[in-house]
Amino acid sequence: MSVLSQSTRATLAKTALKNARSNAIAMRYYSNAEKTLKERFAEIFPAKVEEIKKLKKEHGHTVIDHVKLEQAYGGMRGIKGLVWEGSVLDPEEGIRFRGRTIPEIQKQLPKADNGEEPLPEALFWLLLTGEIPSEAQTKAFSADLASRSELPKHVEDLLNSLPKDLHPMAQFSIAVTALESDSKFAKAYAQGVAKKDYWNYTFEDSLDLLGKLPVIAAKIYRNVFKDGKLAALDPNADYGKNLAHLLGYENKDFVELMRLYLTIHSDHEGGNVSAHTTHLVGSALSSPYLSLAAGLNGLAGPLHGRANQEVLEWLFKLREEVKGDYSPKVIEKYLWDTLNSGRVVPGYGHAVLRKTDPRYTAQREFALKHFPDYELFKLVSTIYQVAPGVLKKQGKTKNPWPNVDSHSGDPLQYYGLTEASFYTVLFGVARAIGVLPQLIIDRAVGAPIERPKSFSTEKFIALVKSAEAKN
């Protein structure tokens, strides 16, 4: 056992005092009978640790998958090799959050007073614990996150200094990385905190970060596209409402859209680029700030989160060329022209899904309820009618159905948030809700650093020859 110096003990004591103050703020909003999120997680994760130990001891040598050479060269698609507790993606059914479908989440999660859409902070609670919080717990958790929202001055100054033509996602990643200065995990690790306590500091960093993301996102939006002025955060408002108001939108239906958007974009199991990257970097014991920043850099790619921006740009080009004629015949011709030119139909297809993405369906139902006659929505709907048949006939895609990106832009356009380059930042705020719970779980169960084996093409050739010779 290492002996901590007096200065080390003093530093840890200061960190513990800060944690206690955060906990005290949260506790003001809880009844005496209800647990805070941190208390509840502390109660349940030891059983998860024992469950994993038992599983590994009894079945550690069981073969769970066979890997083909084409998978090694195909982005490792379909290889079963990651642990992700919050969600599982079924090719036919879509995403399940802790066993619950999106429609079930929409019904079961707590909602704001007079609201109809689920509160994303309640989903964070569910992803971390497997339990749906009460309304009182959700309100208290909302208040806890709001109490952590203030940005350090150097981060605010940094955001104000960035050029307006720097992509919003680059600004987002820079700001999150700069928050490393406040990392409780990094400070505790440097002072030799015990491994069993890693989760505690990861938890605090994750909530601190989650509380600050709406302010960072809104600051970027207001700096780049508006006057740079930011509204005050409401300490009594829920997460989605605060994000909407910080962006400058008061429309109650837009607030509802933000709640839905953040919920359905949060988690899509652990193999996607942003989730896997966050988990991978976290496995090296980088702080939640550095881990999420890495994940955001992955999300910024056009084959991942920035696809929603590309879909919208393609829709605008289509709209311009068909000159208002959204008939199925005209749309079908445009789709064939797109495919025959060697391009893809953006927003269609998915690496795992083989049916219409339930996240697309949730957004479509929101549109049908709130703006069924919106011109861009009508265009998206006609494409939905026509595109699957065209893609099936072409025969080059395993999934001819729309994914979430196919529909995520037009609701934002309808409510006036028309700056498409900002959309992935909203996606990034949502994705944090999905990936940060797994970071906390990873540290609680003592997950090791991730280190798969790689080979050169020459080595794979030798392996293939050896395997085929044995057969």
Side-chain angles (χ1 to χ4, degrees):
M1 179 182 293
S2 61
V3 179
L4 299 180
S5 67
Q6 184 174 356
S7 62
T8 297
R9 288 196 299 270
T11 301
L12 287 175
K14 288 179 181 177
T15 303
L17 180 59
K18 288 182 179 179
N19 290 349
R21 287 171 179 165
S22 295
N23 292 338
I25 291 172
M27 284 299 293
R28 292 179 199 164
Y29 301 94
Y30 288 86
S31 71
N32 292 332
E34 291 185 300
K35 302 288 186 180
T36 67
L37 176 58
K38 191 172 189 178
E39 288 172 338
R40 187 66 193 117
F41 182 72
E43 288 178 343
I44 64 178
F45 89 78
K48 174 60 70 174
V49 172
E50 293 306 313
E51 179 186 32
I52 293 171
K53 284 181 180 178
K54 185 172 184 288
L55 179 66
K56 288 164 61 179
K57 181 178 180 180
E58 296 180 359
H59 305 285
H61 296 289
T62 301
V63 176
I64 58 172
D65 202 7
H66 294 278
V67 179
K68 299 176 183 178
L69 181 68
E70 65 182 14
Q71 290 176 290
Y73 281 90
M76 300 193 291
R77 290 191 180 187
I79 296 175
K80 302 178 184 70
L82 291 173
V83 178
W84 196 262
E85 303 292 357
S87 64
V88 175
L89 181 58
D90 181 86
E92 301 296 325
E93 189 178 57
I95 195 68
R96 279 183 176 268
F97 301 115
R98 290 285 189 166
R100 295 168 172 84
T101 64
I102 285 178
E104 289 170 340
I105 286 293
Q106 289 179 285
K107 289 180 181 178
Q108 296 174 16
L109 285 184
K111 300 168 179 60
D113 295 338
N114 301 316
E116 296 182 356
E117 298 299 339
L119 294 176
E121 54 267 54
L123 180 66
F124 184 98
W125 187 300
L126 172 65
L127 294 175
L128 182 60
T129 67
E131 301 171 349
I132 291 178
S134 69
E135 289 188 11
Q137 286 174 319
T138 304
K139 285 183 178 181
F141 186 40
S142 299
D144 187 9
L145 293 175
S147 75
R148 301 169 185 256
S149 63
E150 185 177 359
L151 298 184
K153 185 178 184 302
H154 74 87
V155 175
E156 189 172 345
D157 291 343
L158 175 61
L159 285 170
N160 289 335
S161 73
L162 295 174
K164 289 188 176 183
D165 60 355
L166 181 62
H167 195 282
M169 276 302 287
Q171 298 193 37
F172 198 27
S173 172
I174 288 169
V176 171
T177 300
L179 286 170
E180 175 71 3
S181 61
D182 282 10
S183 173
K184 294 169 182 173
F185 177 85
K187 289 180 174 66
Y189 184 84
Q191 300 299 333
V193 68
K195 187 176 181 180
K196 67 179 178 62
D197 294 324
Y198 285 175
W199 76 268
N200 182 17
Y201 298 94
T202 302
F203 180 96
E204 290 299 327
D205 272 5
S206 295
L207 266 61
D208 285 346
L209 175 53
L210 197 63
K212 290 171 173 56
L213 290 181
V215 180
I216 294 173
K219 186 66 177 170
I220 293 168
Y221 179 71
R222 302 297 301 183
N223 279 354
V224 174
F225 303 110
K226 304 296 180 180
D227 59 5
K229 296 178 181 177
L230 206 61
L233 183 137
D234 183 351
N236 298 311
D238 62 85
Y239 198 78
K241 185 176 182 179
N242 262 327
L243 176 58
H245 287 180
L246 287 168
L247 291 170
Y249 294 85
E250 301 293 333
N251 184 298
K252 64 180 182 62
D253 291 338
F254 182 82
V255 171
E256 282 284 88
L257 175 64
M258 283 295 95
R259 292 165 179 154
L260 175 65
Y261 186 102
L262 293 174
T263 298
I264 66 175
H265 283 80
S266 61
D267 201 25
H268 219 226
E269 72 171 30
N272 65 76
V273 170
S274 53
H276 185 197
T277 302
T278 304
H279 164 78
L280 172 64
V281 175
S283 78
L285 297 186
S286 298
S287 76
Y289 298 102
L290 299 182
S291 301
L292 181 66
L296 292 174
N297 287 334
L299 190 70
L303 293 183
H304 192 18
R306 210 174 84 190
N308 55 22
Q309 180 180 337
E310 294 201 335
V311 168
L312 201 60
E313 291 167 354
W314 179 79
L315 283 173
F316 288 159
K317 186 177 180 181
L318 186 163
R319 182 173 63 181
E320 181 181 341
E321 293 196 16
V322 302
K323 302 185 187 316
D325 185 353
Y326 299 162
S327 64
K329 183 178 180 180
V330 170
I331 298 301
E332 181 175 352
K333 181 182 182 304
Y334 188 88
L335 294 177
W336 276 117
D337 289 345
T338 298
L339 294 170
N340 291 334
S341 68
R343 294 171 291 162
V344 300
V345 177
Y348 279 75
H350 192 273
V352 179
L353 284 169
R354 296 297 175 261
K355 290 288 180 67
T356 297
D357 191 332
R359 299 172 298 174
Y360 174 97
T361 304
Q363 292 177 110
R364 176 172 172 78
E365 290 173 352
F366 186 93
L368 286 168
K369 179 178 179 180
H370 293 282
F371 46 88
D373 297 323
Y374 178 42
E375 175 248 2
L376 191 59
F377 172 59
K378 287 183 176 180
L379 176 57
V380 170
S381 296
T382 305
I383 296 171
Y384 185 36
Q385 275 183 274
V386 177
V390 170
L391 292 169
K392 285 179 183 178
K393 192 171 182 180
Q394 186 206 30
K396 291 185 178 180
T397 179
K398 294 180 180 179
N399 175 26
W401 303 102
N403 58 51
V404 67
D405 300 312
S406 183
H407 211 313
S408 59
D410 64 292
L412 297 169
Q413 290 282 316
Y414 175 78
Y415 289 110
L417 205 163
T418 58
E419 300 85 2
S421 63
F422 181 74
Y423 291 178
T424 314
V425 174
L426 292 177
F427 198 163
V429 176
R431 187 46 51 97
I433 294 168
V435 301
L436 292 176
Q438 186 62 45
L439 278 184
I440 299 168
I441 294 170
D442 287 343
R443 301 292 77 78
V445 302
I449 189 170
E450 186 177 308
R451 181 44 168 101
K453 180 62 179 170
S454 64
F455 284 125
S456 65
T457 294
E458 290 73 19
K459 181 62 176 177
F460 271 121
I461 290 171
L463 284 172
V464 167
K465 286 181 178 179
S466 175
E468 291 177 348
K470 292 179 182 178
N471 295 332

